[in-house]
Amino acid sequence: MSNNVRSKAVTQGVQRAPNRAMLRAVGFQDQDFTKPIVGLANGYSTITPCNMGLNDLAKRAEAGIKEAGAMPQMFGTITVSDGISMGTEGMKYSLVSREVIADAIETACNGQSMDGVLAIGGCDKNMPGAMIAIARMNIPAIFVYGGTIKPGHYNGQDLTVVSAFEAVGQYSAGKIDEAELTAVERNACPGAGSCGGMFTANTMSSAFEAMGMSLPYSSTMAAEDVEKADSAEKSAFVLVEAIRNQILPKQILTRQAFENAIAVIMAVGGSTNAILHLLAIAHAIGVELSLDDFETIRGKVPVLCDLKPSGKYVATDLHRAGGIPQVMKILLTHGLLHGDALTITGKTIAEVLADIPEEPSKDQDVIHSWDNPIYAQGHLAILKGNLATEGAVAKITGVKKPQITGPARVFESEEACLEAILAGQIKAGDVIVVRYEGPKGGPGMREMLAPTSAIIGAGLGDAVGLITDGRFSGGTYGMVVGHVAPEAAVGGTIALVKEGDTITIDATARSLNLDISETELEQRRASWQPKEPNYTTGVLAKYAKLVSSSSVGAVTD
């Protein structure tokens, strides 16, 4: 065992007898005091289907840690279900929970001098939250994804949670009746697991596998399948070996690992939220990463996977087609991955992928070949202009009209925007502006899945633009631009837009502009006054005081 092992102190000297006495009460015996102590950060809860299966995985991992010769100490972490809180005031706590989770894992592991940590998560924020903590602590660690939900089925179609949000828009537009709406809602989410398309949870699990922090194939396994529990147990053995060999996150989470993750996210058509989270993880580990890096890699990497929300298939289909290892091997073959990057297994990426074929199987069309991509370039673009001098994030593939110039329809909250859409007050050619929903202004940077889904459901997805200083769900698609920075709450240009102003979104030129003169813009800026904060006490008030711009990951340290 390395001299770096931190819990060794419990075996040293008479002064440690009280420490050992406490540990005996939780199951330690004489022979256990020379073993590494491994934290098991368990995100189990019945708040959301994403996390309801995690305790079974935690138990398998716990048994694996013991069998591998270490001592597990399990503790809980929180979650907020984005899908359940979406469109409500509660959604303001979602991104905040990423920081709470990171702080909780760091506190438990460092407070108990744990030698390593196995983190299990299954919802959007306990995944990056765990990785931020892992990066801060720099003790041997592995992430176990709780697994994806299997698709729901209705009327011959695969359903996801986004289907229910879009059905609301279809119902409001008179395209379906209430019985159809209810049928979609009843069938969209059939059991345990994270939202089934290439939404935020599956995007982040794919990124973690690409970075070498999770085991191969684990990011696309279904939550309810036996292989997921087997993978959790195997992860425990891999982690204990990493503790013995002192393989640390700083050796794995390098600049090369982040570039690998970005390439994979582009290839699978992942969520805009991945940009925010990877920036935050990079900040925690001390790797320089910027919005411009995403744009650079986007230009080199094609979209290879035909996945929801804009495509046909779900994560379980991707798994059957070869999963993330198959996608990675295609990218590696064409020089778009760093094959020498280290993984938690002790092997390099190239070694892990050695036996994977260079081309996907011809009997599936989920993963396209290099010569037949879905799109020639990545889908997550960074837009800049006078409306977003620090940058904004947009999904630009699959949009029939990559450029829109239209009158601004300005809303000070998500709720006001949704009400206008459902009332039929938004017309083709409009550019919706939803502001004061940024990290500080919300606070919490809510996702806009309800408004964007209502737009799609109303048949306006290709005819209406939407910009916001808030976020979008991984299930969002269409001409939408989020993460606009600087945000309204700090006097960004988005705060200065007036109803009827002309706005131009140009995905091809990657620009976002308010079409008024610089003189007019400066006059408005001079007269702008900040709004009173929405919260003055509690966690949201503390978050608003600490949080940085979304352009650097909305970090709080």
Side-chain angles (χ1 to χ4, degrees):
M1 187 66 62
S2 165
N3 289 331
N4 293 326
V5 174
R6 305 187 305 171
S7 65
K8 198 172 181 181
V10 301
T11 70
Q12 294 174 344
V14 175
Q15 72 272 23
R16 295 302 183 186
N19 307 70
R20 295 198 299 271
M22 294 289 287
L23 289 169
R24 288 183 192 279
V26 296
F28 279 62
Q29 299 180 24
D30 288 347
Q31 67 272 20
D32 297 326
F33 291 112
T34 59
K35 298 174 182 178
I37 294 177
V38 179
L40 209 167
N42 181 3
Y44 166 74
S45 75
T46 57
I47 288 175
T48 170
C50 311
N51 287 43
M52 65 189 247
L54 298 190
N55 208 44
D56 293 337
L57 302 184
K59 291 293 185 182
R60 282 291 296 275
E62 183 180 45
I65 291 168
K66 288 181 178 178
E67 189 175 343
M71 291 301 290
Q73 287 195 308
M74 191 184 301
F75 60 93
T77 65
I78 66 160
T79 197
V80 171
S81 171
D82 290 8
I84 295 172
S85 64
M86 196 73 70
T88 73
E89 195 75 358
M91 185 64 192
K92 292 182 177 181
Y93 287 86
S94 173
L95 186 59
V96 176
S97 75
R98 185 188 75 177
E99 311 309 306
V100 175
I101 292 161
D103 291 350
I105 294 175
E106 178 191 354
T107 300
C109 289
N110 282 350
Q112 297 300 115
S113 298
M114 294 176 184
D115 300 307
V117 62
L118 185 151
I120 304 181
C123 202
D124 290 8
K125 304 310 173 302
N126 43 55
M127 301 175 72
M131 199 60 67
I132 289 169
I134 286 167
R136 288 179 190 167
M137 297 183 297
N138 195 38
I139 58 175
I142 195 166
F143 185 83
V144 174
Y145 180 40
T148 184
I149 196 171
K150 294 180 178 180
H153 302 285
Y154 173 69
N155 203 21
Q157 300 291 319
D158 282 351
L159 301 180
T160 69
V161 66
V162 176
S163 306
F165 283 93
E166 291 179 0
V168 172
Q170 293 168 335
Y171 174 73
S172 298
K175 296 184 175 184
I176 61 173
D177 59 19
E178 187 172 355
E180 182 95 351
L181 173 62
T182 301
V184 171
E185 175 244 303
R186 286 175 174 166
N187 290 281
C189 298
S194 299
C195 300
M198 191 47 69
F199 308 148
T200 301
N202 285 325
T203 300
M204 295 313 299
S205 69
S206 300
F208 293 171
E209 182 176 329
M211 297 171 94
M213 292 299 298
S214 295
L215 295 188
Y217 296 103
S218 64
S219 65
T220 51
M221 293 174 178
E224 297 178 324
D225 285 353
V226 172
E227 66 175 347
K228 175 47 49 182
D230 292 342
S231 178
E233 185 174 39
K234 184 179 179 182
S235 297
F237 282 89
V238 169
L239 174 60
V240 174
E241 188 64 20
I243 293 172
R244 293 191 174 107
N245 294 321
Q246 282 299 286
I247 300 175
L248 302 176
K250 278 187 180 288
Q251 298 169 263
I252 301 171
L253 295 174
T254 61
R255 168 75 185 204
Q256 289 72 28
F258 283 95
E259 290 181 354
N260 285 350
I262 296 168
V264 167
I265 289 165
M266 295 295 176
V268 299
S271 166
T272 54
N273 284 312
I275 295 177
L276 193 75
H277 298 324
L278 288 178
L279 288 170
I281 297 165
H283 172 81
I285 201 72
V287 168
E288 289 189 13
L289 193 69
S290 72
L291 287 176
D292 293 338
D293 294 318
F294 289 84
E295 184 60 34
T296 298
I297 295 173
R298 184 195 73 80
K300 301 176 182 178
V301 179
V303 178
L304 298 173
C305 299
D306 190 7
L307 297 167
K308 290 179 182 291
S310 57
K312 292 188 292 187
Y313 297 104
V314 295
T316 50
D317 297 316
L318 174 60
H319 189 64
R320 285 189 291 270
I324 295 303
Q326 180 63 80
V327 177
M328 291 179 70
K329 187 57 176 277
I330 297 170
L331 297 176
L332 180 66
T333 299
H334 293 275
L336 292 171
L337 283 191
H338 299 281
D340 57 348
L342 184 66
T343 74
I344 188 62
T345 65
K347 296 180 179 180
T348 65
I349 291 291
E351 289 170 336
V352 169
L353 301 176
D355 297 329
I356 307 298
E358 293 184 355
E359 291 292 329
S361 171
K362 296 188 186 307
D363 62 1
Q364 57 80 44
D365 63 347
V366 183
I367 306 172
H368 284 218
S369 67
W370 179 264
D371 296 329
N372 183 36
I374 308 293
Y375 302 105
Q377 293 182 317
H379 63 303
L380 298 181
I382 307 304
L383 276 54
K384 292 187 177 181
N386 68 1
L387 256 172
T389 55
E390 293 179 10
V393 180
K395 279 185 180 178
I396 64 172
T397 49
V399 178
K400 292 181 180 178
K401 297 179 180 178
Q403 193 265 3
I404 182 171
T405 297
R409 303 297 311 280
V410 181
F411 302 95
E412 307 295 305
S413 70
E414 177 188 1
E415 288 87 350
C417 172
L418 179 61
E419 184 179 345
I421 296 167
L422 296 180
Q425 296 172 5
I426 301 300
K427 308 300 181 187
D430 287 346
V431 178
I432 299 169
V433 178
V434 186
R435 63 192 182 192
Y436 292 98
E437 289 285 8
K440 286 184 178 292
M445 206 179 178
R446 286 193 291 182
E447 293 180 349
M448 303 287 133
L449 182 58
T452 58
S453 297
I455 289 169
I456 296 292
L460 294 170
D462 293 314
V464 168
L466 189 153
I467 71 170
T468 180
D469 50 9
R471 297 181 294 129
F472 293 118
S473 163
T476 293
Y477 59 102
M479 180 56 91
V480 295
V481 183
H483 306 206
V484 171
E487 63 174 293
V490 298
T493 303
I494 192 171
L496 312 179
V497 180
K498 294 182 179 180
E499 183 80 10
D501 280 348
T502 300
I503 290 175
T504 297
I505 307 171
D506 192 332
T508 304
R510 294 179 295 285
S511 63
L512 179 64
N513 286 293
L514 175 62
D515 299 329
I516 63 173
S517 69
E518 187 65 26
T519 300
E520 172 68 14
L521 186 59
E522 289 309 312
Q523 287 175 347
R524 293 186 189 183
R525 198 180 306 280
S527 62
W528 176 80
Q529 295 292 325
K531 292 177 62 176
E532 289 296 315
N534 291 328
Y535 291 84
T536 56
T537 61
V539 67
L540 292 183
K542 286 188 280 189
Y543 180 84
K545 290 177 182 177
L546 292 172
V547 70
S548 70
S549 169
S550 61
S551 64
V552 292
V555 296
T556 56
D557 61 347

